[in-house]
Amino acid sequence: MTEIRHAPVAPTRTQWLAAGGSIDAHRHDDHQIVYAGRGVLAVTTGEGSWVAPGTRAIWVPAGTAHAHRAYGELDLHLVGLPAGENPLGLHAPAVLAVSPLLRELIVAYTRTGDDHSPERCRLRAVLLDQLRASRQQPLHLPAPTAPVLTALCDILRADPGDSRTLAQLGREVGASDRTLSRLFRDDLGMTFPQWRTQLRLHHALVLLTERTPVTAVAHRCGWSSTSAFIDAFRRTFGHTPGSHPTG
């Protein structure tokens, strides 16, 4: 992300983004909540990427340079909040659970103009209350900085279904599994299996949005069986991949 636009005010609005569309890297002086009513949204920063289907929203703190990408057509709902107002107390991007009530609040708030009416102020207050109650979701895929780890992660990004062990991958990038294990912990804050599972879940969301059959998604993302994939997906998202909304 070399060119970073500075758009001081984070807008509150609804916009449509075509499948495969993107919004280039930029930053705001405000916080922003980004929610996709349909499709899958990915937000990327220098620290990694966060992905959110329709049951999740992404919190982007003020000053964070970030870019958006759409998987499937997106109904993108954006909520800007002043930098001095941080209902979540978060200073790094995060994925948040979106309840049915919070979804309707975000949709309603972003589809009406800011007329400063008492009704809109009450709507905003309830929206913030619901945000404070939202749980963070472990859907962050951190980006490595160590060159050898970057090379390994690039191999897996190109083929998330690659099932080779860390030792086997290490021979390709010229590092031992012990060195790579340490780098995953120190550079990314997670183990190799944890990072690969996150990568596979991100890729699975994209494939499901493209209406890829569940069995094919399991195979292409490297799970040993369809049932293992369904179990991992349910534990992460709270529903089965077969019931996941498509874009």
Side-chain angles (χ1 to χ4, degrees), residues 33-37 39 41 51-59 94-99 102 106 135-139 205 233-239:
I33 299 150
V34 188
Y35 172 69
L41 167 70
V51 65
T55 55
R56 305 291 187 268
I58 299 178
W59 167 263
V95 175
L96 307 171
V98 173
S99 66
L102 180 55
I106 291 173
R135 293 177 292 106
Q136 290 188 58
Q137 306 292 298
L139 291 173
L205 284 173
F233 193 94
R234 183 193 291 114
R235 281 188 280 108
T236 302
F237 297 107
H239 59 269

Side-chain angles (χ1 to χ4, degrees), residues 6 10 47 52 59 63 110 140 166 180 197-198 242:
H6 179 212
E47 303 299 319
W59 167 263
T110 56
H140 174 212
L166 190 57
L180 291 170
T197 296
Q198 288 291 82

Side-chain angles (χ1 to χ4, degrees), residues 12 82 89 91 98 112-113 123 133 137 139 143 151 163 167 177 188 201-202 226 238:
T12 295
H91 302 286
V98 173
T112 58
L123 178 63
Q137 306 292 298
L139 291 173
S163 60
D177 56 345
L188 301 180
L201 287 170
H202 281 212
T226 303

Side-chain angles (χ1 to χ4, degrees), residues 75-137:
D75 290 326
L76 195 59
H77 300 274
L78 306 170
V79 178
L81 295 173
E85 187 172 3
N86 190 335
L88 298 163
L90 297 175
H91 302 286
V95 175
L96 307 171
V98 173
S99 66
L101 174 57
L102 180 55
R103 170 192 165 86
E104 295 306 319
L105 290 166
I106 291 173
V107 169
Y109 190 71
T110 56
R111 284 185 173 166
T112 58
D114 191 3
D115 57 7
H116 302 290
S117 66
E119 292 81 7
R120 185 170 174 80
C121 289
R122 289 193 292 270
L123 178 63
R124 186 179 188 275
V126 178
L127 191 158
L128 294 180
D129 281 344
Q130 289 298 305
L131 274 177
R132 293 184 185 98
S134 295
R135 293 177 292 106
Q136 290 188 58
Q137 306 292 298

Side-chain angles (χ1 to χ4, degrees), residues 15-226:
Q15 69 182 82
W16 177 80
L17 200 59
S22 62
I23 299 174
D24 63 350
H26 60 286
R27 61 184 176 87
H28 306 292
D29 295 337
D30 300 331
H31 304 302
Q32 191 172 53
I33 299 150
V34 188
Y35 172 69
R38 60 171 172 162
V40 171
L41 167 70
V43 169
T44 301
T45 76
E47 303 299 319
S49 59
W50 288 257
V51 65
T55 55
R56 305 291 187 268
I58 299 178
W59 167 263
V60 182
T64 302
H66 61 287
H68 305 292
R69 181 173 175 80
Y71 296 98
E73 292 185 353
L74 292 191
D75 290 326
L76 195 59
H77 300 274
L78 306 170
V79 178
L81 295 173
E85 187 172 3
N86 190 335
L88 298 163
L90 297 175
H91 302 286
V95 175
L96 307 171
V98 173
S99 66
L101 174 57
L102 180 55
R103 170 192 165 86
E104 295 306 319
L105 290 166
I106 291 173
V107 169
Y109 190 71
T110 56
R111 284 185 173 166
T112 58
D114 191 3
D115 57 7
H116 302 290
S117 66
E119 292 81 7
R120 185 170 174 80
C121 289
R122 289 193 292 270
L123 178 63
R124 186 179 188 275
V126 178
L127 191 158
L128 294 180
D129 281 344
Q130 289 298 305
L131 274 177
R132 293 184 185 98
S134 295
R135 293 177 292 106
Q136 290 188 58
Q137 306 292 298
L139 291 173
H140 174 212
L141 187 68
T145 58
V148 67
L149 201 57
T150 298
L152 185 151
C153 291
D154 284 346
I155 291 171
L156 295 179
R157 286 181 187 274
D159 179 14
D162 190 327
S163 60
R164 284 179 289 176
T165 66
L166 190 57
Q168 290 170 327
L169 290 165
R171 286 194 286 272
E172 182 166 339
V173 299
S176 69
D177 56 345
R178 175 177 291 185
T179 296
L180 291 170
S181 292
R182 176 180 55 79
L183 285 173
F184 267 100
R185 291 192 303 271
D186 295 347
D187 199 15
L188 301 180
M190 58 177 59
T191 66
F192 169 62
Q194 288 171 332
W195 190 91
R196 180 153 66 178
T197 296
Q198 288 291 82
L199 173 68
R200 289 174 170 177
L201 287 170
H202 281 212
H203 192 54
L205 284 173
V206 172
L207 293 175
L208 290 168
T209 299
E210 296 171 350
R211 302 182 186 275
T212 307
V214 171
T215 299
V217 173
H219 174 72
R220 289 170 62 178
C221 291
W223 268 277
S224 58
S225 66
T226 303

